[in-house]
Amino acid sequence: MAMNFSPSTPMGSIYQQKPKILLSLQPPQDSHLSGSKNVSCGAASHYVKLEVRLRASAAKPPVVKHLLQKRRVLRCATIEEIEAEKSFIEEDVKERMEKTVDTVRSSFNSIRTGRSNPAMLDKIEVEYYGAPTNLKSIAQISTPDASSLLVKPYDKSALKAIEKAIVNSDLGMTPNNDGEVIRLAIPQLTSERRKELSKIVAKQAEEGKVALRNVRRDAIKSYEKLEKEKKLSEDNVKDLSSDLQKVTDEYMKKIDSLYKQKEKELLTV
């Protein structure tokens, strides 16, 4: 704002005059309002009013907001829950290992020896009314003597389908269909064939052992997961792994026993 003076006006009088206030800052009028502040500024005849509203949510630092969003509620597992998880793992291990041994036993039984055994036909699938059906579910299988099998279907119309399924199998037997039943003569195995079947049985036994090891591996992973979740200690996992190895060894012995028994049957003339 300009000030009028003449050349004769003393310079001291200019500095002795108090300057006029051009800008005034006033405290907020509505101090009772929470979350908002008002700042008013005035200059000469022009007034500018600035209102700054500070919201509570906007006032929170970004880092605090991020932490609140990421917050999770953690609950420690009870002893009962931990024991339940351990029991589930142990039961699953035994169930899967039992099934593995059963599978190996079934595979051994399907390999013929010099003696008749109804289990030799366990894997025969018959095309029955347009669907593959296990032979045992549609026919009765018996052993009249040590060197033959007798197949008596519940439905005589299935005789031809059963005959065809046996011919197409790898049993190496020729069925005799008399219109009522099917008779199978068990041919004697040659020495060369016995050795070939012995190798097949050994391979099946090894596959069974690999399956047992896989079950053991899965169980150990489950224990390690509980350790990461702080439900088991490192010593707990070591003890459980040791017990698991003992169970695995027991089932390994079962497969070894089945293998030795089958090998003996194959090599006995």
Side-chain angles (χ1 to χ4, degrees):
M1 189 172 186
M3 180 177 180
N4 296 324
F5 61 92
S6 64
S8 60
T9 304
M11 292 299 295
S13 63
I14 298 175
Y15 293 102
Q16 288 176 359
Q17 296 182 19
K18 294 182 180 181
K20 295 181 179 180
I21 298 176
L22 301 181
L23 178 65
S24 62
L25 297 179
Q26 300 176 356
Q29 299 296 326
D30 298 332
S31 59
H32 64 283
L33 295 177
S34 59
S36 65
K37 295 181 180 179
N38 298 326
V39 179
S40 300
C41 302
S45 60
H46 299 89
Y47 296 92
V48 178
K49 185 177 181 181
L50 301 177
E51 183 177 26
V52 181
R53 299 188 178 274
L54 302 177
R55 301 182 181 275
S57 60
K60 291 182 180 179
V63 177
V64 175
K65 287 184 179 180
H66 179 72
L67 293 176
L68 289 175
Q69 293 173 354
K70 293 293 183 180
R71 185 178 61 185
R72 294 289 183 272
V73 178
L74 300 178
R75 181 180 66 84
C76 295
T78 64
I79 296 178
E80 290 77 9
E81 290 174 338
I82 296 174
E83 289 297 326
E85 290 190 58
K86 286 169 54 182
S87 298
F88 174 79
I89 295 172
E90 293 168 0
E91 291 174 3
D92 181 65
V93 165
K94 291 183 178 180
E95 181 180 353
R96 292 174 62 188
M97 288 189 175
E98 284 289 351
K99 288 182 179 179
T100 299
V101 173
D102 289 342
T103 300
V104 172
R105 184 184 290 108
S106 177
S107 297
F108 286 175
N109 289 338
S110 65
I111 296 178
R112 72 180 182 89
T113 59
R115 296 182 179 182
S116 59
N117 184 351
M120 295 168 62
L121 304 180
D122 281 353
K123 293 187 176 181
I124 299 295
E125 295 286 327
V126 181
E127 193 72 18
Y128 188 61
Y129 287 102
T133 308
N134 188 272
L135 175 60
K136 293 174 66 176
S137 65
I138 62 174
Q140 181 182 1
I141 305 172
S142 58
T143 54
D145 52 60
S147 60
S148 66
L149 290 172
L150 186 67
V151 181
K152 185 177 181 179
Y154 303 121
D155 179 7
K156 292 183 180 180
S157 65
L159 274 171
K160 290 185 178 181
I162 293 174
E163 182 181 4
K164 181 180 179 181
I166 294 174
V167 171
N168 293 335
S169 70
D170 58 354
L171 290 175
M173 294 187 290
T174 302
N176 181 11
N177 182 0
D178 64 3
E180 295 289 334
V181 296
I182 292 177
R183 289 182 173 84
L184 296 169
I186 310 298
Q188 291 297 318
L189 297 175
T190 63
S191 177
E192 192 66 25
R193 180 58 177 166
R194 290 177 187 276
K195 291 179 181 179
E196 290 177 1
L197 293 177
S198 181
K199 291 179 181 179
I200 294 175
V201 169
K203 181 181 179 181
Q204 292 176 342
E206 183 58 32
E207 288 174 351
K209 290 183 177 181
V210 170
L212 293 178
R213 295 188 191 101
N214 290 339
V215 174
R216 175 183 176 275
R217 178 200 61 198
D218 293 343
I220 290 178
K221 286 184 178 179
S222 298
Y223 288 143
E224 290 175 346
K225 180 175 180 292
L226 292 178
E227 181 184 2
K228 289 181 180 179
E229 295 173 352
K230 305 301 181 182
K231 295 179 180 179
L232 292 177
S233 67
E234 184 178 353
D235 291 337
N236 291 147
V237 174
K238 288 182 179 179
D239 292 340
L240 291 170
S241 298
S242 177
D243 294 339
L244 180 61
Q245 184 61 54
K246 293 178 182 177
V247 174
T248 305
D249 292 340
E250 290 178 5
Y251 282 93
M252 289 283 191
K253 290 179 181 178
K254 290 183 180 181
I255 290 182
D256 284 336
S257 178
L258 291 172
Y259 167 65
K260 290 178 181 179
Q261 180 181 352
K262 190 64 180 181
E263 186 181 36
K264 183 179 180 181
E265 292 177 3
L266 287 172
L267 299 179
T268 300
V269 180

